[in-house]
Amino acid sequence: MADHVLQVQHLGKTFGKNVVLRDIDFTVDTGDVTCIIGASGSGKSTLLRCINLLETPTCGEILHHGVSITDGKFNPSKYRAKVGMVFQSFNLFNNMTVLENCMIGQTKVLGVKKEEARQTAMFYLEKVGMAPYINAKPRQISGGQKQRVAIARALAMQPEVLLFDEPTSALDPQMVGEVLEVMRNLAREGLTMLVVTHEMAFARDVSSHVVFMADGVICEEGAPRQIFENPVHERTRDFLERFRNN
Amino acid sequence: MSSTLPQTFGGKLIFILQNYGTTFLRGAGVTMAIAVVSTFIGCIIGFLVGIVQTIPTDRSKNPVKWVVLGVVRFILNVYVEVFRGTPMMVQAMFIYYGASMLFNINMSMWTAAFFIVSINTGAYMAETVRGGILSIDNGQTEGAKAIGMTHFQTMVHVVLPQALRNIMPQIGNNLIINIKDTCVLTVIGTVELFYASKSVAGAYYWYFESFTIAMGVYFILTFLCSRLLRLIESKMDGPESYDLATTDTLAHTSGMNRYPGDSDQDAHADKFTASGSM
């Protein structure tokens, strides 16, 4: 109980009459690399967006170190500073350079001094191989490079856990490679990660825990070896089968 | 004296420029001062109103804020609709004489001019700014929220700078409209370019000649302003290229593709992590 970074309990989300998530239960511990897989429309991204409070859950609870973040009085800004997010569409700030993108959160949200923020930003930009591009604007770099900057921006906040919402889905195969390489290294260094992905090889090789979702519920979860080699549930088997055939 | 007056069109133009050049210049100066200052103040009004109109509110979460904002928004909507929906010339008369009749305030020519043009521009700019804010992709807001920025910080650092860039053409439009429309202030006695031209014209009954000069001066003013604003826009966009410190070691752009699962993957990854450890 002591070291649960995030606990999701009986989480539900509806958009109007559409039930998107039903009774979701799972836990993220420090150092976990959890991959959420499943068909498009199964609610994976919505779940991630609920965890970062970009969507308000309809029912259920999310606990951050045992404290509920879903009750009304909670201040989402402080929480979000500790739980980073990397988006499918990068969402870099178009009016800032690569370096400024990685500094703004530190200086404005964490209150870090400029020089220190700059050093931290440079450290993480070097880690993702984007240090040479500090003066570029987002419109001047490629998709893969943007995503690496977005990862550096999230890391510069030194989050407890980093959420990835299909980080490679908008990229061509070459760029997918460079982004996955960065993520692989982060996992190796012990960063707590929660990754929604369609990259099955990444889920199989890198994650410590795999969650398979279908139709808004968690169908099956467990160690990657178990999910990929001995799936219990019919739907998991179907899904993985289809992926292998492609 | 009348025998020395020029008879040709060109001669009359030269005569007016030589004798009343400074009158035109002074009029043009007043026109520009009112147009530039009022556009600026109008933009500030527009930004404030536009920002208030786009504050997100949740009735269930904060009912007090919801009610207060609702009232403020209603008042602002009335302001926008009234000042967009009535002619500036009528507003000028209404405000200038209304202020002295109802509140016993005798506005100076300058105060009245700045007030009327600013508040009129503000009404138009409010909608422009609202549109500018809506034009910014929601992903920008989500990106800012995701690193813990509040709504206010998101607005100031991320959304508004981009919205401002997007509405620059419209701000330019407003400035040019204001340069031309200050001429309606003659009804309250503001001696700007139109008033000056009219007085010169009245002195000799040379209407065509005097207003030919006015046409030229107005056009020069608006043309210069539109070019200047283009220049500011390209300054805002920043340089087309950027300085590269060294080469990017991870972008596989030189034909050496490496996909996840390749055998030499780990060797490369080790080199990569060696640059800094967590």
Side-chain angles (χ1 to χ4, degrees), chain B residues 134-149:
Chain B
L134 292 179
S135 76
I136 304 302
D137 175 30
N138 199 30
Q140 297 285 308
T141 311
E142 290 194 345
K145 277 185 182 170
I147 56 169
M149 284 198 200

Side-chain angles (χ1 to χ4, degrees), chain B residues 12-204:
Chain B
K12 287 177 186 173
L13 285 188
I14 292 165
F15 180 86
I16 293 174
L17 284 174
Q18 277 171 346
N19 291 282
Y20 296 96
T22 49
T23 313
F24 278 99
L25 275 183
R26 213 173 296 134
V30 172
T31 290
M32 281 310 287
I34 295 172
V36 170
V37 172
S38 303
T39 305
F40 183 74
I41 298 174
C43 283
I44 292 172
I45 297 173
F47 264 90
L48 293 177
V49 176
I51 288 165
V52 171
Q53 302 284 27
T54 49
I55 295 174
T57 44
D58 192 339
R59 189 179 184 173
S60 58
K61 261 190 182 167
N62 197 339
V64 180
K65 185 176 160 194
W66 187 80
V67 170
V68 172
L69 259 176
V71 173
V72 172
R73 274 180 193 163
F74 176 77
I75 296 168
L76 293 178
N77 276 331
V78 170
Y79 155 66
V80 170
E81 294 300 338
V82 166
F83 281 88
R84 272 199 319 181
T86 52
M88 191 155 81
M89 200 188 240
V90 179
Q91 290 165 20
M93 297 295 259
F94 179 77
I95 291 171
Y96 187 67
Y97 292 105
S100 77
M101 282 275 290
L102 297 175
F103 305 107
N104 218 6
I105 302 169
N106 283 312
M107 286 191 193
S108 75
M109 175 207 101
W110 286 104
T111 325
F114 286 141
F115 183 77
I116 291 156
V117 182
S118 300
I119 210 152
N120 209 282
T121 312
Y124 281 96
M125 283 302 299
E127 285 298 287
T128 305
V129 171
R130 199 172 66 87
I133 291 172
L134 292 179
S135 76
I136 304 302
D137 175 30
N138 199 30
Q140 297 285 308
T141 311
E142 290 194 345
K145 277 185 182 170
I147 56 169
M149 284 198 200
T150 59
H151 174 74
F152 182 74
Q153 288 172 325
T154 306
M155 275 299 184
V156 171
H157 301 296
V158 179
V159 176
L160 289 181
Q162 295 182 50
L164 176 67
R165 170 62 191 89
N166 285 358
I167 64 174
M168 274 308 282
Q170 190 53 39
I171 291 178
N173 250 349
N174 265 316
L175 177 61
I176 285 167
I177 289 172
N178 282 344
I179 292 173
K180 298 185 297 175
D181 282 6
T182 41
C183 69
V184 306
L185 295 174
T186 45
V187 297
I188 58 166
T190 307
V191 188
E192 39 62 71
L193 186 51
F194 178 76
Y195 198 108
S197 315
K198 217 171 77 170
S199 358
V200 173
Y204 298 95

Side-chain angles (χ1 to χ4, degrees), chain B residues 206-249:
Chain B
W206 290 349
Y207 282 91
F208 180 53
E209 293 78 3
S210 180
F211 281 101
T212 302
I213 293 169
M215 282 285 281
V217 176
Y218 272 119
F219 182 76
I220 290 167
L221 293 180
T222 53
F223 187 73
L224 283 180
C225 281
S226 83
R227 292 295 116 173
L228 193 71
L229 280 158
R230 280 285 167 83
L231 209 72
I232 294 174
E233 274 183 45
S234 63
K235 264 267 159 57
M236 286 173 89
D237 287 339
E240 269 305 303
S241 67
Y242 51 91
D243 303 326
L244 214 55
T246 58
T247 50
D248 180 2
T249 50

Side-chain angles (χ1 to χ4, degrees), chain A residues 94-144:
Chain A
N94 294 327
N95 56 325
M96 301 178 201
T97 64
V98 163
L99 182 63
E100 286 164 344
N101 261 283
C102 298
M103 286 172 65
I104 185 89
Q106 297 183 68
T107 51
K108 301 298 171 191
V109 177
L110 302 179
V112 173
K113 288 220 172 60
K114 267 232 164 96
E115 192 42 44
E116 200 187 326
R118 191 191 148 82
Q119 278 171 11
T120 311
M122 284 308 295
F123 176 80
Y124 289 107
L125 282 169
E126 248 160 57
K127 199 180 264 300
V128 300
M130 284 303 289
Y133 290 86
I134 51 172
N135 296 320
K137 286 274 181 77
R139 67 184 149 89
Q140 294 165 324
I141 57 180
S142 74

